């Protein structure tokens, strides 16, 4: 049974890498005068973030992991999971990653200073079906977590935004 789960995950990793690749040469701009901490956030996706976002564990470095997923050479022995990285968590993350680029084609909900359990993010966005938390520095923020469903905190300001994109 584990082999069929891992083979299914492998197939989803291949599709997710293709989808994720479409975001690598873009900067997504999220801005609103209603934001408190900064009026504009630039979101950048890097190959090195992909492994962490999938929920699987690998002995490959993050760049090699993405490359192997992207070129379809990843093997089921190249990744694993444990009780912390459970099957449901991995399934939910991959379901989100397979459609991640379309999230930025429509109006989103955004929240600054997002906190969920031990995850602290500078910004989080949600389209209702999943939430992405971002962390980073002064210029750009980078994806830190992908969560199933809308996980924004209802007790904090949630702002409707329409993302825009620019090519690098």
């Amino acid at each position: 049974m584990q082999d069929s789960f891992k083979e299914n995950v492998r197939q989803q990793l291949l599709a997710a890498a293709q989808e994720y690749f479409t975001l690598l040469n873009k900067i997504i701009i999220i801005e609103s005068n209603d934001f408190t901490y900064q009026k504009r956030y630039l979101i950048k996706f890097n190959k090195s973030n992909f492994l962490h976002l999938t929920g699987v564990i690998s002995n490959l470095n993050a760049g090699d992991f993405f490359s192997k997923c992207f070129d379809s050479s990843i093997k089921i022995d190249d990744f694993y999971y444990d009780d912390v990285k459970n099957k449901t968590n991995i399934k939910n993350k991959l379901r989100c990653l397979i459609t991640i680029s379309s999230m930025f084609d429509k109006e989103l909900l955004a929240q600054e200073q997002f906190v969920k359990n031990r995850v602290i993010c500078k910004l989080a966005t949600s389209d209702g079906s999943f939430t992405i938390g971002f962390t980073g520095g002064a210029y750009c923020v980078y994806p830190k977590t992908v969560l199933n469903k809308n996980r924004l905190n209802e007790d904090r300001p949630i702002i409707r935004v329409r993302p825009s994109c620019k090519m690098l």
Side-chain angles (χ1 to χ4, degrees), residues 85-151:
K85 305 288 185 182
N86 65 54
K87 290 180 179 182
T88 302
N89 186 36
I90 292 168
K91 287 178 191 176
N92 287 337
K93 288 179 178 292
L94 289 173
R95 187 172 47 248
C96 297
L97 288 173
I98 287 171
T99 61
I100 194 169
S101 71
S102 65
M103 178 184 195
F104 301 103
D105 295 337
K106 57 191 171 238
E107 184 179 74
L108 296 174
L109 301 174
Q111 186 170 67
E112 294 178 292
Q113 304 300 309
F114 172 76
V115 177
K116 180 71 176 171
N117 300 324
R118 294 180 311 189
V119 177
I120 301 169
C121 299
K122 198 171 193 176
L123 177 74
T125 59
S126 179
D127 67 354
S129 59
F130 62 96
T131 302
I132 304 175
F134 301 92
T135 190
Y139 180 69
C140 284
V141 292
Y142 302 91
K144 179 177 184 175
T145 189
V146 174
L147 304 167
N148 192 33
K149 301 180 184 170
N150 179 358
R151 303 293 179 177

Side-chain angles (χ1 to χ4, degrees), residues 61-80:
N61 74 46
D64 290 343
F65 180 84
F66 176 80
S67 295
K68 284 183 160 233
C69 290
F70 185 72
D71 71 13
S72 301
S73 66
I74 193 89
K75 296 179 177 67
I76 61 172
D77 293 335
D78 289 332
F79 63 91
Y80 58 97

